[in-house]
């Protein structure tokens, strides 16, 4: 049976590839809906971009909802310096024809978890955790019904990419991250420690382009655009595909290795606000609350991605 998921996202080129991978994999994944959140760009654009990607995939029937337009307790920080003013800079993609669904994304999460059998819905956040935490705060009865949360966010050995200590998704709404990590739901984390190893080298991007399809071309043009930031910042070969690690894990979890450890979120310090304090070495007595991934079979990951994108 395919795994039922809700994708919570702030597209973002890498979010777009994560969504495409999910929509190309119906044997393993059933996308119940997509909820947009403010993050890489403001909510108006993330909600638009999610629909653009659904239409690019030829899946205009996917339900897309707009969620929270700001973090729970702080001013929104965005990342146009990475993703461009639209969030999907690179390819020229038409505005979506499909409409947003009526209602709020948080209500969709709550209603879906209440309607589906307990333990059958996985939440897949690819951006700040505002929608997830707001749903948990508003309807605590749904928490025990979540099968698992598989998210992209945080870092430990790779430290921060938006501040010296914090990864972007967690930094944008650390209060929401704290609520999520303390919820008791089983959590799988794809931190920068993993995603920085999922690099789109020239050869891997050529494989996307060689698909000769609108999807393959668009993905290649997306990574052509946003790799400039990482190449300049890290001196890397190309762009890391952060968010597709989430959907790849749902399809082939054996591509990833990690440790079940305690992860706490720093919400008070001016220096380290948004840091994921990961007890990788087990030096505290805090109970483990997350499977924190540390490595990826990058060749296997890109082989899967290329094979699945070829379906669209």
């Amino acid at each position: 049976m395919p795994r039922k998921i809700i994708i919570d996202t702030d597209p973002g080129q890498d979010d777009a590839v994560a969504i495409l991978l999910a929509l190309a994999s119906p044997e393993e994944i059933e996308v119940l809906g997509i909820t947009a959140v403010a993050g890489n760009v403001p909510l108006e654009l993330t909600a638009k971009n999610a629909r653009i990607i659904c239409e690019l995939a030829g899946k205009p029937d996917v339900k897309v909802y707009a969620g929270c337009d700001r973090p729970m307790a702080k001013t929104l920080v965005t990342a146009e310096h990475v993703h461009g003013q639209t969030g999907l800079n690179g390819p020229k993609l038409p505005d979506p024809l499909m409409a947003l669904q009526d209602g709020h994304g948080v209500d969709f999460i709550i209603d879906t978890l209440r309607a589906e059998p307990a333990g059958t819905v996985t939440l897949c956040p690819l951006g700040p955790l505002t929608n997830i935490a707001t749903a948990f705060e508003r309807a605590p009865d749904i928490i025990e019904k979540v099968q698992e949360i598989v998210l992209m966010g945080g870092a430990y050995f790779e430290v921060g990419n938006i501040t010296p200590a914090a990864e972007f998704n967690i930094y944008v709404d650390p209060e929401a991250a704290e609520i999520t990590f303390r919820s008791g739901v089983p959590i799988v984390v794809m931190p920068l420690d993993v995603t920085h190893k999922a690099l789109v080298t020239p050869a891997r991007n050529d494989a996307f382009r060689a698909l000769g399809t609108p999807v393959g071309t668009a993905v290649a043009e997306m990574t052509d655009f946003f790799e400039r930031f990482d190449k300049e910042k890290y001196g890397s070969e190309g762009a890391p595909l952060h968010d597709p690690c989430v959907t790849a894990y749902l399809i082939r979890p054996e591509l990833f290795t990690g440790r079940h450890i305690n992860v706490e979120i720093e919400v008070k310090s001016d220096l380290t606000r948004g840091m994921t304090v990961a007890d990788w070495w087990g030096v505290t007595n805090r109970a483990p609350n997350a499977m924190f991934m540390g490595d990826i079979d990058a060749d296997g990951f890109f082989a899967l991605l290329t094979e699945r994108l070829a379906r669209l």
Side-chain angles (χ1 to χ4, degrees):
M1 293 288 291
R3 189 165 180 172
K4 297 177 181 180
I5 72 168
I6 296 172
I7 298 175
D8 188 65
T9 181
D10 62 337
Q13 291 92 346
D14 55 323
D15 304 69
V17 180
I19 294 167
L20 292 169
L21 177 58
L23 296 177
S25 305
E27 305 96 329
E28 296 92 357
I29 297 172
E30 179 184 353
V31 180
L32 300 179
I34 296 174
T35 52
V37 68
N40 284 324
V41 287
L43 179 66
E44 180 181 0
L45 287 173
T46 61
K48 176 182 177 180
N49 291 347
R51 289 176 289 145
I52 288 173
I53 297 308
C54 289
E55 291 189 353
L56 175 65
K59 308 288 185 181
D61 294 333
V62 176
K63 296 178 180 178
V64 178
Y65 294 82
C68 296
D69 65 355
R70 69 196 70 185
M72 299 181 84
K74 61 176 287 194
T75 303
L76 177 65
V77 175
T78 55
E80 288 88 351
H81 61 290
V82 179
H83 298 279
Q85 290 302 309
T86 70
L88 287 182
N89 280 35
K92 289 183 170 59
L93 298 172
D95 287 346
L97 298 176
M98 59 187 283
L100 274 174
Q101 296 293 308
D102 293 334
H104 197 282
V106 169
D107 293 326
F108 171 73
I109 293 170
I110 293 169
D111 293 344
T112 303
L113 285 166
R114 284 176 173 167
E116 296 287 340
T120 64
V121 177
T122 295
L123 303 178
C124 298
L126 310 178
L129 290 158
T130 315
N131 286 339
I132 306 302
T134 302
F136 286 0
E137 290 265 279
R138 194 174 295 173
D141 59 287
I142 67 173
I143 294 173
E144 64 181 13
K145 299 193 71 175
V146 180
Q147 179 180 357
E148 191 171 44
I149 295 171
V150 184
L151 67 89
M152 188 278 135
Y156 184 61
F157 295 102
E158 285 287 303
V159 295
N161 65 352
I162 188 68
T163 74
E167 179 274 332
F168 178 81
N169 286 345
I170 305 299
Y171 178 76
V172 169
D173 199 341
E175 283 77 15
E178 182 180 47
I179 290 167
T180 303
F181 275 82
R182 291 186 175 179
S183 67
V185 175
I187 297 176
V188 176
V189 184
M190 296 293 167
L192 298 181
D193 306 275
V194 164
T195 66
H196 277 176
K197 298 172 184 174
L199 289 177
V200 187
T201 61
R204 289 166 176 166
N205 215 29
D206 287 344
F208 295 148
R209 192 173 277 106
L211 294 176
T213 62
V215 167
T217 300
V219 169
E221 290 175 349
M222 286 180 200
T223 55
D224 281 341
F225 175 82
F226 86 105
E227 72 177 4
R228 88 221 179 280
F229 177 80
D230 291 277
K231 282 184 171 181
E232 182 178 338
K233 182 174 183 178
Y234 298 110
S236 58
E237 288 185 84
L241 282 182
H242 305 285
D243 295 327
C245 290
V246 169
T247 33
Y249 173 80
L250 299 177
I251 300 166
R252 289 192 58 195
E254 67 274 12
L255 292 173
F256 302 89
T257 56
R259 295 183 183 181
H260 192 225
I261 62 172
N262 179 268
V263 180
E264 299 290 336
I265 311 299
E266 176 56 59
V267 296
K268 296 178 181 177
S269 168
D270 291 337
L271 283 176
T272 57
R273 180 175 168 82
M275 182 179 183
T276 45
V277 183
D279 187 12
W280 184 259
W281 303 112
V283 295
T284 74
N285 293 320
R286 296 194 294 266
N289 62 347
M291 175 60 73
F292 200 83
M293 293 302 179
D295 208 354
I296 180 177
D297 172 0
D299 288 337
F301 169 79
F302 279 97
L304 171 68
L305 192 52
T306 305
E307 179 250 314
R308 295 301 170 95
L309 292 180
R311 298 176 170 187
L312 298 174

